[in-house]
Amino acid sequence: MITGLVALDLPAPARLRGRRAAFAAVLAARGPNATCRADGRVWHFDDSGGNWLELHHLGEGRALLVGHDHEYSQTYYGPAAEEFGEDETDLLAGAPDWWRPVVRQTLEADEYVGFVYGFDADGWKRAAYSVPDGFHSVGLPALTMERTRESIVAFTRDAPGLGGESARRDAIDALVAADGDVTEAHVTAVIGRGGWDPAAGAAAARKFLAV
């Protein structure tokens, strides 16, 4: 029985921006990469393997996070339930109407939807269900500062400017603390000089300032 929406312990969208922008900066500096990016009011992340999530900023302090993991989302919503012959999980049960347009738009783009989380003044919430929805397995680095640091270190191991050294923690923290207002100097401090493109990294990060 649905008893109402379930509260989630996740960072507010504003707390995610600096981390996502920092990770996007490193990826873009390394070379053309769209797995972590800001497109206007939508922040996209995918793992290059078909698993993805998007954070839609809707104004008035509201946001909606939608996504899917093709291996671990066991919430078959909408057309997916019929296609795979599975019981449907109603990801919008008890949800306010403002959740629905983004979900409808996603389904119309022929994407599967495994999870839908809504954010407003009361924090993050989702519909009540007991099956795994795949959110955590998508692997968004920005969920914690520790994971953000680890991911940036991993993706910069082969940066020519670092000469085989790991990216400095203080430089990574400064890149995150810029909160999207990233300069080439911020990026260079993380990746070193030579080989990669700090201007491309700064430009990718600054797109997160749109919201």
Side-chain angles (χ1 to χ4, degrees):
M1 173 181 286
I2 299 298
T3 58
L5 297 176
V6 175
L8 301 170
D9 183 16
L10 296 174
R15 289 186 57 202
L16 291 170
R17 180 167 66 178
R19 301 172 194 169
R20 296 189 73 157
F23 188 58
V26 168
L27 295 183
R30 183 174 181 168
N33 191 311
T35 61
C36 182
R37 65 182 187 271
D39 295 322
R41 302 183 68 82
V42 180
W43 295 351
H44 174 90
F45 173 79
D46 67 73
D47 67 354
S48 299
N51 306 316
W52 63 276
L53 56 80
E54 288 187 339
L55 179 59
H56 293 250
H57 297 265
L58 304 177
E60 299 181 353
R62 294 172 174 174
L64 201 74
L65 191 151
V66 299
H68 182 260
D69 185 305
H70 67 83
E71 295 174 294
Y72 294 105
S73 291
Q74 297 180 29
T75 44
Y76 294 88
Y77 177 72
E82 181 176 355
E83 180 175 344
F84 292 99
E86 299 283 352
D87 292 336
E88 182 177 22
T89 300
D90 187 355
L91 300 178
L92 298 180
D97 289 342
W98 58 267
W99 289 28
R100 298 180 182 276
V102 171
V103 176
R104 182 169 58 249
Q105 170 188 324
T106 305
L107 293 176
E108 289 174 351
D110 293 327
E111 296 282 3
Y112 297 125
V113 175
F115 48 86
V116 181
Y117 299 169
F119 178 85
D120 59 17
D122 294 324
W124 287 104
K125 291 186 171 58
R126 66 160 172 81
Y129 48 82
S130 58
V131 294
D133 63 15
F135 168 70
H136 286 287
S137 58
V138 173
L140 178 66
L143 285 182
T144 68
M145 188 63 185
E146 181 181 6
R147 288 178 61 178
T148 302
R149 291 191 191 106
E150 290 173 351
S151 296
I152 289 176
V153 168
F155 275 87
T156 55
R157 290 194 192 283
D158 58 348
L162 294 180
E165 299 293 328
S166 293
R168 300 193 332 265
R169 176 171 175 150
D170 64 324
I172 294 172
D173 288 356
L175 181 63
V176 173
D179 198 25
D181 193 11
V182 169
T183 65
E184 292 183 37
H186 284 121
V187 182
T188 300
V190 174
I191 66 173
R193 297 184 180 278
W196 287 9
D197 187 351
R206 293 183 68 82
K207 290 184 178 180
F208 286 82
L209 295 174
V211 291

